[in-house]
Amino acid sequence: MDQAGFEQIAERITSGLLEGKYDTYRSAFLLPLRVEPRGGVPYVLADDDALRKDWQLYRDAILIQGVTDIVREVLGIAEIEPDRIEVTVETNMLRHAQRIVDPFKTQFVLQPEGAEWRIAILRSSLGHINWTLGRADIVDDRFHDR
């Protein structure tokens, strides 16, 4: 897995969210997907129904905030094991050319499924994950719990 390979996966996530294409979004993930909010309680999206519900909540939050792009700058790629790669990115949520929230780091742990790499673990800020689940708002360029 190289940077270009990850960027293709990230683009599927972004287009799936922004264009409302669940199947495109789904193709980036390996189920069960472990979600690890930094400073929060990890949880697992065990099946397609759980991932679809999570995607819909994320998509609703994006539409409410008017997000027009999600830009992920790759900060590093590390091989954890021969079949596990961790990609660290700086994530920017944009409304046209303006950030709607301060940039934040996200880590994706990928592993192969057949011939393709998919995301098996997602680590992000607690505020961001709470926002995607509809539990937080964006105020003053930060995520705030409701």
Side-chain angles (χ1 to χ4, degrees):
M1 165 68 56
D2 60 8
Q3 183 169 333
F6 174 76
E7 288 171 351
Q8 290 175 356
I9 293 169
E11 181 54 34
R12 291 197 317 247
I13 295 169
T14 299
S15 66
L17 286 166
L18 297 179
E19 298 169 21
K21 298 177 182 175
Y22 173 73
D23 290 337
T24 300
Y25 181 84
R26 167 67 179 92
S27 71
F29 296 97
L30 178 65
L31 295 176
L33 172 67
R34 183 172 172 85
V35 180
E36 299 178 355
R38 283 189 294 283
V41 177
Y43 59 95
V44 173
L45 300 172
D47 56 29
D48 196 59
D49 286 341
L51 183 65
R52 184 181 291 275
K53 288 175 187 171
D54 187 76
W55 169 82
Q56 187 62 60
L57 288 168
Y58 199 174
R59 179 150 166 74
D60 291 349
I62 282 171
L63 292 172
I64 289 167
Q65 288 296 323
V67 174
T68 57
D69 204 1
I70 303 168
V71 177
R72 296 171 190 88
E73 178 186 346
V74 175
L75 302 175
I77 299 175
E79 183 177 299
I80 300 171
E81 299 171 21
D83 65 343
R84 282 191 159 211
I85 304 291
E86 182 177 74
V87 180
T88 301
V89 302
E90 178 182 86
T91 303
N92 287 276
M93 309 287 291
L94 305 175
R95 181 183 307 121
H96 303 292
Q98 298 210 338
R99 287 184 180 134
I100 63 167
V101 68
D102 290 337
F104 54 95
K105 287 189 180 163
T106 308
Q107 286 87 29
F108 300 94
V109 175
L110 295 97
Q111 59 188 72
E113 182 180 54
E116 290 196 41
W117 287 85
R118 300 198 194 279
I119 299 165
I121 301 172
L122 184 148
R123 296 183 187 111
S124 194
S125 73
L126 178 60
H128 173 72
I129 291 178
N130 280 340
W131 175 70
T132 67
L133 295 173
R135 298 179 189 153
D137 295 317
I138 296 177
V139 180
D140 300 324
D141 293 338
R142 300 210 187 277
F143 298 107
H144 293 279
D145 291 335
R146 288 188 175 160

